[in-house]
Amino acid sequence: MLLEVRDLRVEFATRDGVVRAVDGVSYAVDAGETLAVLGESGSGKSVAAQAVMGILETPPGRITSGEVRFQGRDLLTLGAEERRRVRGERMAMIFQDALSALNPVLPVGYQLAEMYRVHRGAPRREARERAVELMDRVRIPAARERAGDYPHQFSGGMRQRIMIAMALALEPELIIADEPTTALDVTVQAQVMDLLDELRREYRMGLILITHDLGVVADVADRIAVMYAGRVVEHAPVRRLFAAPAHPYTRGLLASIPRLDRRGRELAAIRGLPPNLLSVPSGCPFHPRCPLARAVCRAERPPLHPVAEGRSSACHFWKEILGDGDHHDRRAHR
Ligand code: SF4
């Protein structure tokens, strides 16, 4: 396995108390595979990724326990220098906001070339050439001419392609993309996702795609980990999850995205708001919003049960839900 995150916990000390932003998260991604980590804002998906990447702001954040095994080595036990090396060369991150992630006062070609000069010791001319090749590879039109332009001279979609190029420059084994297309319009969003997917296959990288948008991951993810209130509540191969979700929260998310096979049906939003992490509801944290909640849900926190090969759900009633799903599917096929 390329990356294995085990029982990761991250806390934030705030004026009002301790926030458990990541509360025992486990997931894994292999070479050439895409894992989508899905959740609303405040679900802990980005904080977990920052902890994995080693860029968590500490303080106020603090990893209190867990393991982040990258090719078998626990990154949390490495010294700062070695950690920086792994992060720079073997893992890369793509952020939502390319404008603030790129240096605004340096031409993009120069920023890309610096990656080769600093990390690979490439001579100036060769580094420049490779930067242009990379811009070409991520389909920046007229790459050679545009290498001298500054980040603000590119459109949002083109800037995101440059971020992808920066992430790819050192040919990392793992890329973590945190909401890489959220700021883009739908058509550009699809183009950037397709490009990322194509490069992931070509370079045989592992990709962790963090998003709040289930629609974005449907075509590109192999597996999905759905997060809620700092925990993974469902983990499944993407097709199985779309066909029959095993958690009411995932069910709610699916019902709220437009689907061609459900034309004419009203879209349903999940009622209520995500919990305040300073006072997470007792028992199952989803219970105040869950249409299936019963007394036991308020009292007992459901563990992440294995429900089938490669699938798990943190719901007391997963059997009922899956049975229900089958029942609906059978009715739909009659
Ligand atoms: Fe809903 Fe209860 Fe399942 Fe939580 S455990 S998701 S409240 S049915």
Side-chain angles (χ1 to χ4, degrees):
M1 195 53 77
L2 180 66
L3 177 88
E4 256 188 292
V5 176
R6 293 184 193 157
D7 200 25
L8 185 67
R9 290 171 201 269
V10 181
E11 289 182 357
F12 282 86
T14 73
R15 255 200 326 230
D16 300 320
V18 172
V19 166
R20 289 204 182 90
V22 178
D23 196 10
V25 162
S26 301
Y27 54 64
V29 64
D30 217 343
E33 188 185 44
T34 300
L35 170 75
V37 180
L38 181 88
E40 290 166 290
S41 100
S43 62
K45 59 190 192 304
S46 295
V47 174
Q50 287 163 14
V52 168
M53 195 66 196
I55 56 167
L56 184 73
E57 227 179 286
T58 315
R62 192 167 72 95
I63 297 173
T64 56
S65 65
E67 292 178 5
V68 176
R69 295 204 160 265
F70 183 66
Q71 294 177 325
R73 266 201 314 176
D74 185 3
L75 299 182
L76 301 184
T77 62
L78 299 184
E81 187 47 42
E82 207 175 345
R83 189 80 206 270
R84 226 186 336 267
R85 246 198 330 268
V86 173
R87 181 166 68 237
E89 309 224 340
R90 305 180 56 196
M91 300 164 72
M93 195 145 178
I94 296 169
F95 298 93
Q96 176 180 342
D97 182 6
L99 204 49
S100 55
L102 294 166
N103 189 327
V105 298
L106 294 173
V108 297
Y110 178 86
Q111 295 187 50
L112 276 166
E114 277 299 277
M115 302 285 287
Y116 294 113
R117 283 186 5 93
V118 172
H119 293 271
R120 298 281 184 261
R124 200 174 291 276
R125 182 190 288 261
E126 184 192 321
R128 246 196 335 255
E129 271 314 300
R130 294 189 68 180
V132 171
E133 276 166 26
L134 205 51
M135 286 177 69
D136 207 35
R137 182 66 198 83
V138 295
R139 303 205 193 98
I140 306 283
R144 190 168 297 279
E145 290 84 73
R146 299 224 60 189
D149 288 351
Y150 293 86
H152 73 269
Q153 293 174 288
F154 291 84
S155 67
M158 288 296 148
R159 268 200 300 269
Q160 212 56 6
R161 286 167 190 265
I162 291 162
M163 279 273 287
I164 294 173
M166 294 283 281
L168 279 178
L170 304 177
E171 301 191 11
E173 281 116 326
L174 177 72
I175 286 193
I176 301 180
D178 190 358
E179 304 272 11
T181 60
T182 302
L184 309 175
D185 72 48
V186 180
T187 323
V188 182
Q189 205 170 58
Q191 290 165 356
V192 170
M193 275 319 302
D194 286 349
L195 176 68
L196 199 51
D197 192 41
E198 177 188 318
L199 294 167
R200 190 257 314 156
R201 260 182 278 131
E202 184 181 321
Y203 288 72
R204 231 189 116 58
M205 294 177 300
L207 175 64
I208 298 181
L209 189 59
I210 296 161
T211 181
H212 67 281
D213 186 348
L214 197 48
V216 163
V217 300
D219 296 329
V220 294
D222 297 297
R223 284 180 298 113
I224 301 190
V226 181
M227 286 189 64
Y228 191 80
R231 296 166 203 166
V232 172
V233 293
E234 178 161 6
H235 191 176
V238 68
R239 284 207 184 85
R240 297 293 306 138
L241 183 132
F242 271 85
H247 192 281
Y249 177 56
T250 319
R251 239 194 198 181
L253 291 174
L254 277 174
S256 63
I257 56 168
R259 285 173 56 170
L260 283 176
D261 58 345
R262 297 198 174 158
R263 252 190 296 198
R265 284 201 222 169
E266 211 175 299
L267 292 178
I270 301 172
R271 65 177 184 188
L273 293 170
N276 175 352
L277 292 179
L278 280 166
S279 53
V280 175
S282 62
C284 171
F286 188 57
H287 84 249
R289 305 174 74 187
C290 181
L292 304 180
R294 295 168 216 178
V296 65
C297 304
R298 281 179 276 279
E300 285 173 30
R301 178 194 292 189
L304 196 58
H305 304 274
V307 304
E309 174 76 29
R311 293 198 69 175
S312 43
S313 162
C315 174
H316 291 306
F317 301 106
W318 64 267
K319 279 188 194 150
E320 207 171 291
I321 292 166
L322 280 180
D324 240 26
D326 286 351
H327 180 62
H328 286 308
D329 283 353
R330 276 201 301 277
R331 277 199 314 196
H333 286 105
R334 260 182 218 157

